[in-house]
Amino acid sequence: MRQFYLLFFLVPIMIFGQDFPAVDFISGDVSITPDTIEKSIKGSVSYAFEMSAKTDSIFIDAIDMGFQKVALNGKEVPYSNNRKQIAFQAPKSMGEHLLTLWYTSKPKQTVYFFGWDDQIKGNEQIWTQGQGKYTSHWLPSFDDMSEKIEFDFQIMAPKEYDAIANGELLEVVDKDSLNAWRFNMIKPMSSYLAAFAIGDFDKKTLKSASGVPIELYYEPKDSLKVEPTYRYMKEIFDFLEEEIEVPYPWQNYKQVPAQDFLYAGMENTTLTIFSNTYVIDSVAFVDKNYVNVNAHELAHQWFGNLVTEKSGEHHWLHEGFATYYAYLTEKELFGNDHYYWRLYDTAKTLNILSENGDGEALTNPNANSLTFYEKGAWALVMLREIAGEEAFKKGIRNYLEKFAFKNVTIADFLSEVESASGKDLTGFRKEWLEGEEFPWQSTKAYLIRHANSIKEYFELKKADGATIKKMDWYAGTTSAALKRQLILTYGLKTPVKGLESILQKEKDLKARQAVAQVIESVPQELKEVFASLLEDESYITQELALFKLWTSFPSERENFLSQTNNVMGLPNKNIRLLWLTLALVTPEIHPEKKKGYYEELNGYTAPNHHFEVRQLAFEYLNHINAMNNEALANLVEAADHHVWQFKKFSRNLLRKLMTDELFEKRLNAVYETLTKENKKILDKLNNK
Ligand SMILES: [Zn+2]
């Protein structure tokens, strides 16, 4: 009798417990029609789900959505909508069911419309960002990462644009004024990885060694930047497949650059969306290229998309792994020296953080990104060292195969490496995953063991001032990374002759750049050779040279400026914006053109420019006190930007300007020209 009683209570616990969900969603057929005027979404989704136990209600995450109709197995059913979730009564019978939802939403986040309000043709884009922003803002779906679904998308887009979504494009069907782009996925994924992008794009197509189709999108105006932007794409893809030893898990791979994207990149399944500030020319490649982000997002297709964390405590399994494999890719492409010095830089940063008492455990779900990414990558570097190369790779392989299309914990991963290596990893777990301190001594020892140039560096640091003056430190090394490091460390203590010879003879562009960086004021005897940096093949070097020459030799400003006129520089227009600023404050430069410079610099604050360009323009304009009323209005608009760093910058600057009586008056004058939304922003900042 007693046993029976116990059983009676155990059964429902097992059914409703986390491991045995009563309802499993299997596939989702989605159709999305964006409204580019209202910036809203009209959509429908049909979910096939399986009932394996009785339950009362079924819930789907749906934030601020309106529903027109909900049907279960073809029949309209009642539902409740609390603006966070929609709920309906679960069917009584077990087995497979079909649920269809028709809805509209005006997403406050997760879907971003760009360029639809301006007069510029061809810059219109719509793109999504699900992770951290919740896909349930545009698609009734599942914020819980454990619900994996095989999604198929239909994206309705105006005829002049392309649409891209997860999976393989099956067909584009003419539907009156729109095109229906139909995509098919074969395998399931978490909702946060669902994505689409719409815009005017061309694409370049290639195939990996294993035959996976890779599509690289770009805006038609950027056709000359395709090669430097996506440089080494095939090498990256082939390297990761070979290194991970598990085939790429999806049908294809696509990458789309997006304007004003929130992050560097996002690894939506088969569809990485990345910031178009990585769309670069060949000169920019040396200072800012997409290689690391490209490899990072691709690595997520295994680590995050194929095996997905159960919850935030296991976030290391996503970011630490993607960062680590991106470093390994860089090692493959740029060599050991590059790799170990990259690791040295991050170890140094992490160590400072840790010494300040701000170290964090990798198992802390609220750790900052430096911990998840860089400490996370370091943990894998050390784990590979502890487990041994072969066992580490076997552990990775077994882990990916065993948990493919499932959800995982850190313990799941560690136990695979433990079985593969036969080693107890308790110590590793305690020190690297649960410990808050950064194990600096063991990372330093690791680097000295593996990289001769780092060993040399630590030895040189013990050298006396006389040795440094003789510049023996420079002559003796062949490592490019060590040379840069030494210039940055000892450059200021070095005789001018030594720096001059680096500028004249050094083949490595980054060594010359390091000299341009450390010199504060250019000495007369370096003037000529320093001026040659204005034509160096690096936009950062050019910018440094222009500014330092302009400051050091006032009588020759016109000459330096005329040498760099019309150079735009990096995607944030670093050189052009500096040039305009300097030209505006150099009286003898083309007085007749000043008005044009003034308008051009103010013009870069407009919303059609990338937020990085806008921010730099605001900084310079504020610095030389040259903001016109149009720029002021643009600053108010920027104070509500979807990229939070830019929004914060703009709010801070506005607040600062408001304390100035003159600006207060000008803001009042601008007020009437603002849109209703922008008036609200200003009122809010004014506490009105
Ligand atoms: Zn990542």
Side-chain angles (χ1 to χ4, degrees), residues 131 265-267 296-297 300 303 315 318-320 322-323 373:
Q131 188 173 37
M266 173 62 205
E267 71 276 14
H296 178 109
E297 306 310 337
H300 272 310
F303 303 100
H315 201 45
H318 289 197
E319 296 310 337
T323 307
Y373 289 62

Side-chain angles (χ1 to χ4, degrees), residues 68-125:
Q68 285 75 56
K69 198 167 124 185
V70 176
L72 186 60
N73 300 319
K75 264 205 213 141
E76 195 166 347
V77 291
Y79 60 89
S80 71
N81 174 11
N82 67 2
R83 315 298 289 184
K84 283 192 177 114
Q85 284 186 316
I86 179 167
F88 62 98
Q89 200 173 29
K92 300 275 180 278
S93 60
M94 299 299 107
E96 203 170 311
H97 298 274
L98 189 73
L99 170 76
T100 310
L101 310 156
W102 288 265
Y103 66 96
T104 45
S105 79
K106 193 172 171 162
K108 285 200 194 76
Q109 56 185 50
T110 324
V111 184
Y112 301 88
F113 293 76
F114 180 89
W116 299 92
D117 299 332
D118 61 35
Q119 302 306 312
I120 301 158
K121 249 181 105 69
N123 72 340
E124 300 79 11
Q125 291 186 355

Side-chain angles (χ1 to χ4, degrees), residues 25 45 47 58-65 67 80-88 99 101 103 105 134-147 149 151 191-192:
F25 281 78
V45 51
Y47 281 119
I58 296 177
F59 300 89
I60 296 175
D61 297 311
I63 300 164
D64 269 337
M65 280 182 186
F67 287 87
S80 71
N81 174 11
N82 67 2
R83 315 298 289 184
K84 283 192 177 114
Q85 284 186 316
I86 179 167
F88 62 98
L99 170 76
L101 310 156
Y103 66 96
S105 79
Y134 301 109
T135 296
S136 52
H137 278 269
W138 63 270
L139 171 65
S141 54
F142 303 89
D143 295 344
D144 180 350
M145 289 175 280
S146 311
E147 187 62 85
I149 291 167
F151 279 109
S191 299
Y192 80 91

Side-chain angles (χ1 to χ4, degrees), residues 185-200:
M185 287 276 291
I186 294 174
K187 300 290 191 183
M189 63 178 176
S190 309
S191 299
Y192 80 91
L193 295 164
F196 70 87
I198 294 174
D200 181 12

Side-chain angles (χ1 to χ4, degrees), residues 176-248:
D176 302 325
S177 66
L178 302 173
N179 277 336
W181 297 69
R182 293 196 178 135
F183 294 85
N184 168 57
M185 287 276 291
I186 294 174
K187 300 290 191 183
M189 63 178 176
S190 309
S191 299
Y192 80 91
L193 295 164
F196 70 87
I198 294 174
D200 181 12
F201 295 111
D202 284 337
K203 70 177 173 192
K204 186 185 164 189
T205 310
L206 40 132
K207 254 198 173 96
S208 74
S210 58
V212 177
I214 302 169
E215 294 177 356
L216 308 173
Y217 287 82
Y218 58 93
E219 291 185 54
K221 69 175 169 58
D222 295 324
S223 63
L224 294 176
K225 297 178 177 169
V226 176
E227 187 284 317
T229 302
Y230 291 114
R231 192 172 290 173
Y232 303 122
M233 179 70 239
K234 186 171 157 20
E235 286 86 343
I236 295 169
F237 200 102
D238 293 344
F239 169 74
L240 284 177
E241 272 205 308
E242 212 181 293
E243 169 66 34
I244 295 168
E245 296 182 345
V246 171
Y248 176 77

Side-chain angles (χ1 to χ4, degrees), residues 638-656:
D640 206 27
H641 200 270
H642 63 264
V643 175
W644 73 267
Q645 296 97 325
F646 181 49
K647 172 172 153 177
K648 191 176 161 197
F649 162 86
S650 306
R651 289 193 173 202
N652 287 343
L653 181 55
L654 255 181
R655 279 197 197 98
K656 201 189 126 224

